[in-house]
Amino acid sequence: MKSAATAQQAEEPAETGAQQIRDAIRTAIVERRLSPGTKLSESDVGNLFNVSRTLARAALQALSYEGLVNVEKNRGAFVAYPSPEEARQIFSARRLVEPGLLREAAARITPDDIKDLRELLLEEGRLMSERGQTARRAEIKASGDFHLMLAVISGNAIMQRFMEELVARSSLVIALYGQSTASSCGHSEHGEIISAIESNELDRACQLMLHHIAHIEADLDLRERKSLGLKEAFEL
Amino acid sequence: MKSAATAQQAEEPAETGAQQIRDAIRTAIVERRLSPGTKLSESDVGNLFNVSRTLARAALQALSYEGLVNVEKNRGAFVAYPSPEEARQIFSARRLVEPGLLREAAARITPDDIKDLRELLLEEGRLMSERGQTARRAEIKASGDFHLMLAVISGNAIMQRFMEELVARSSLVIALYGQSTASSCGHSEHGEIISAIESNELDRACQLMLHHIAHIEADLDLRERKSLGLKEAFEL
DNA sequence: GCCGGTTGAATTGTATACAATTTTTTATAA
DNA sequence: TTATAAAAAATTGTATACAATTCAACCGGC
């Protein structure tokens, strides 16, 4: 199945090397094969993809613009490790943006779109029942793709890019602070949102969306864990 | 006067060369010293700032992530030339985001913030009355800074960055499609918005913000001008 | 044993060099 | 003159080389 993030307007088809690497690393981060804080040295990345450090560096820079990687001057690039405060801001941004996006999407949605959304939902459910890491990763992706697809339907490429960033960063946050192993606690809510859109209950759809985001956030444990790599860790 | 875009959280103080260049070019674009479509060759940029092509290229890449520059494979970087459709999407995004941002800002605003906003407004008015390019450029910047400052007050660094992108791209759009020479037709509206916030009339403030954005957009001529560099241009 | 400083390896920051592509110029023919 | 093709120049894509900084191991002193 194609990704929901397919570009609308025609762009240059041939991705320059750095972009391929960027996409590969991004996918690895979003699917949680790379954990927050992991160091991504330019040489290692270059060797891994059989390109020079130049391209590796460019890819890492690109990811830092998306907030998925932090590059610290003279120290290198690390998979982003969002602080609880950053996590709150990410979800605050989503609460701010997604209802409006949903309204715009609803105004342009076609029966075909609804079919696509329902198919995505089905796929998501199927993956939920499966076992294994591969299924889990695919499930994470599908869950995000639901929100992304609404952005695509809205027809606003700028908001779409922003949502891609927010969804990707959300995945990092959930990896860090998520409690319930089932990241998909809100799967059914996706379905309810579609139904509400379908029956033209826009206000209700927005409310559902807000609740849905709140639920995801409620599953996080965002208490400040001061590094406490000190003696405190051993004091009873 | 300090820019409204001052970072909230402490970041690495020393900007690596490429970032300085990026900022310089961005400012030039936003202040309209560089026109949309202008070619920015890596060598030229490098020479201009006395750095290697490596850094110039990095700066241009960075600007492309912000939507201020388009880099076309094997052809080079150009100051972005947003299409009418892109322009619509930029303002659509602003209408989607700014009311919510305003609400969040209002919830956290302090008397000091209001003072800062009013000062910015005063400065804006002062620049409006002045003549000359320098004043005009400063006015453009101040006008954008008003919207940016609301994002800063909201306390959400992610939304702040997004607004920075939107405001910068708006400047490009206005440069391309703006009709009234006075880009500041909506200056008084800024004041009304502040007043509405101050007197806690949130709904009204949001309405004013929406109207304000609509006014800016209404000053644009977004009719498709097909390139028509062909004979059609001469056919009577 | 613990602390501060010193040295060497590893890593990043930047410049340069070469390859690939595009653009411009020039030459040639219709 | 106009159009087409070939050659030259300029520009971007990528790799490599060198400088600067950070990190880690080591070592002598307390």
Side-chain angles (χ1 to χ4, degrees):
Chain A
M1 181 183 250
K2 273 230 187 141
S3 161
T6 329
Q8 292 265 92
Q9 9 201 71
E11 289 172 25
E12 290 79 57
E15 298 214 319
T16 176
Q19 275 163 303
Q20 284 178 253
I21 297 170
R22 161 173 66 73
D23 292 345
I25 298 180
R26 177 175 37 214
T27 304
I29 293 177
V30 171
E31 290 187 353
R32 308 193 197 162
R33 299 198 303 273
L34 285 169
S35 309
T38 304
K39 165 135 202 193
L40 302 171
S41 100
E42 299 176 353
S43 326
D44 289 354
V45 172
N47 291 341
L48 191 56
F49 292 95
N50 284 99
V51 296
S52 75
R53 213 158 60 80
T54 306
L55 291 192
R57 185 183 178 86
L60 293 171
Q61 277 298 122
L63 288 166
S64 97
Y65 297 126
E66 301 179 26
L68 292 182
V69 158
N70 286 335
V71 323
E72 297 175 30
K73 188 169 154 68
N74 280 319
R75 289 194 15 100
F78 305 82
V79 178
Y81 197 108
S83 67
E85 174 59 20
E86 269 177 282
R88 271 185 281 266
Q89 293 186 0
I90 289 167
F91 282 97
S92 170
R94 291 186 62 167
R95 278 193 303 270
L96 183 55
V97 155
E98 296 209 51
L101 215 43
L102 188 154
R103 283 201 145 81
E104 301 219 341
R108 310 173 89 250
I109 205 165
T110 69
D112 272 353
D113 291 330
I114 294 188
K115 194 159 71 68
D116 290 347
L117 279 169
R118 290 226 176 271
E119 264 172 35
L120 190 61
L121 208 69
L122 232 59
E123 172 81 354
E124 201 184 337
R126 201 177 59 70
L127 289 164
M128 252 177 68
S129 64
E130 264 186 48
R131 291 233 161 274
Q133 284 225 321
T134 319
R136 198 87 309 130
R137 284 171 189 159
E139 180 196 341
I140 293 169
K141 180 161 185 350
S143 165
D145 275 355
F146 171 78
H147 295 260
L148 247 36
M149 193 173 281
L150 284 177
V152 173
I153 294 170
S154 85
N156 189 320
I158 294 165
M159 293 307 304
Q160 184 187 325
R161 261 209 344 146
F162 188 48
M163 273 303 298
E164 279 168 24
E165 180 183 325
L166 288 178
V167 167
R169 295 179 76 169
S170 296
S171 177
L172 261 180
V173 168
I174 295 171
L176 264 176
Y177 303 109
Q179 302 189 90
S180 86
T181 48
S183 70
S184 47
C185 64
H187 166 68
S188 63
E189 295 172 350
H190 286 176
E192 293 179 49
I193 292 172
I194 299 180
S195 300
I197 294 177
E198 211 168 6
S199 55
N200 237 316
E201 304 171 89
L202 271 195
D203 289 337
R204 184 156 155 276
C206 287
Q207 280 308 112
L208 286 171
M209 178 63 86
L210 284 175
H211 280 128
H212 175 51
I213 299 173
H215 284 165
I216 301 176
E217 200 175 359
D219 181 50
L220 306 176
D221 178 8
L222 291 180
R223 284 171 300 191
E224 292 280 356
R225 306 205 249 300
K226 306 196 173 157
S227 56
L228 66 67
L230 298 156
K231 304 135 199 172
E232 295 123 6
F234 297 96
E235 282 173 11
L236 284 188
Chain B
M1 181 186 249
K2 273 231 188 138
S3 160
T6 329
Q8 292 265 90
Q9 10 200 71
E11 289 173 25
E12 292 78 58
E15 297 214 320
T16 178
Q19 276 164 300
Q20 284 178 252
I21 298 169
R22 161 173 64 73
D23 293 346
I25 299 179
R26 175 173 39 212
T27 304
I29 294 177
V30 171
E31 291 186 354
R32 307 190 199 166
R33 300 198 305 271
L34 284 169
S35 308
T38 305
K39 164 134 203 195
L40 303 172
S41 98
E42 299 177 354
S43 324
D44 290 354
V45 172
N47 291 339
L48 192 55
F49 293 94
N50 284 100
V51 295
S52 75
R53 213 158 59 80
T54 307
L55 290 192
R57 186 184 176 85
L60 293 171
Q61 277 298 121
L63 288 166
S64 98
Y65 295 123
E66 301 180 25
L68 292 182
V69 157
N70 286 337
V71 323
E72 296 174 30
K73 189 169 152 70
N74 280 320
R75 290 193 15 100
F78 305 82
V79 178
Y81 196 109
S83 68
E85 175 57 21
E86 270 177 281
R88 270 185 281 266
Q89 292 185 0
I90 289 167
F91 282 98
S92 170
R94 291 187 62 166
R95 278 194 303 270
L96 183 54
V97 155
E98 297 209 52
L101 215 44
L102 188 153
R103 284 202 143 81
E104 301 219 341
R108 310 173 88 250
I109 205 165
T110 69
D112 272 354
D113 291 330
I114 293 187
K115 195 160 70 68
D116 289 348
L117 280 168
R118 289 229 176 270
E119 263 173 36
L120 190 60
L121 208 68
L122 231 61
E123 172 82 357
E124 201 183 337
R126 199 177 61 71
L127 289 164
M128 251 177 71
S129 64
E130 265 185 48
R131 291 232 162 277
Q133 282 225 322
T134 319
R136 198 87 311 130
R137 284 171 188 160
E139 180 198 339
I140 293 170
K141 181 164 185 349
S143 165
D145 275 356
F146 171 79
H147 295 261
L148 247 34
M149 194 174 281
L150 285 177
V152 173
I153 294 170
S154 85
N156 190 321
I158 294 166
M159 291 309 302
Q160 184 187 326
R161 263 211 341 149
F162 188 47
M163 273 302 298
E164 279 167 26
E165 180 182 325
L166 289 178
V167 167
R169 296 178 77 170
S170 296
S171 176
L172 261 178
V173 168
I174 295 170
L176 264 176
Y177 303 108
Q179 302 189 90
S180 86
T181 48
S183 69
S184 47
C185 64
H187 167 69
S188 62
E189 295 173 349
H190 286 177
E192 292 180 50
I193 292 172
I194 299 181
S195 300
I197 294 176
E198 212 168 6
S199 56
N200 236 316
E201 304 172 89
L202 271 194
D203 289 337
R204 184 157 155 277
C206 287
Q207 281 307 112
L208 286 170
M209 177 63 86
L210 284 174
H211 281 128
H212 175 51
I213 299 174
H215 283 167
I216 301 175
E217 200 175 359
D219 181 50
L220 306 176
D221 177 9
L222 291 180
R223 283 172 300 190
E224 291 280 357
R225 306 205 247 300
K226 306 198 173 156
S227 57
L228 65 67
L230 296 155
K231 305 133 199 172
E232 294 122 7
F234 298 94
E235 283 174 9
L236 285 189

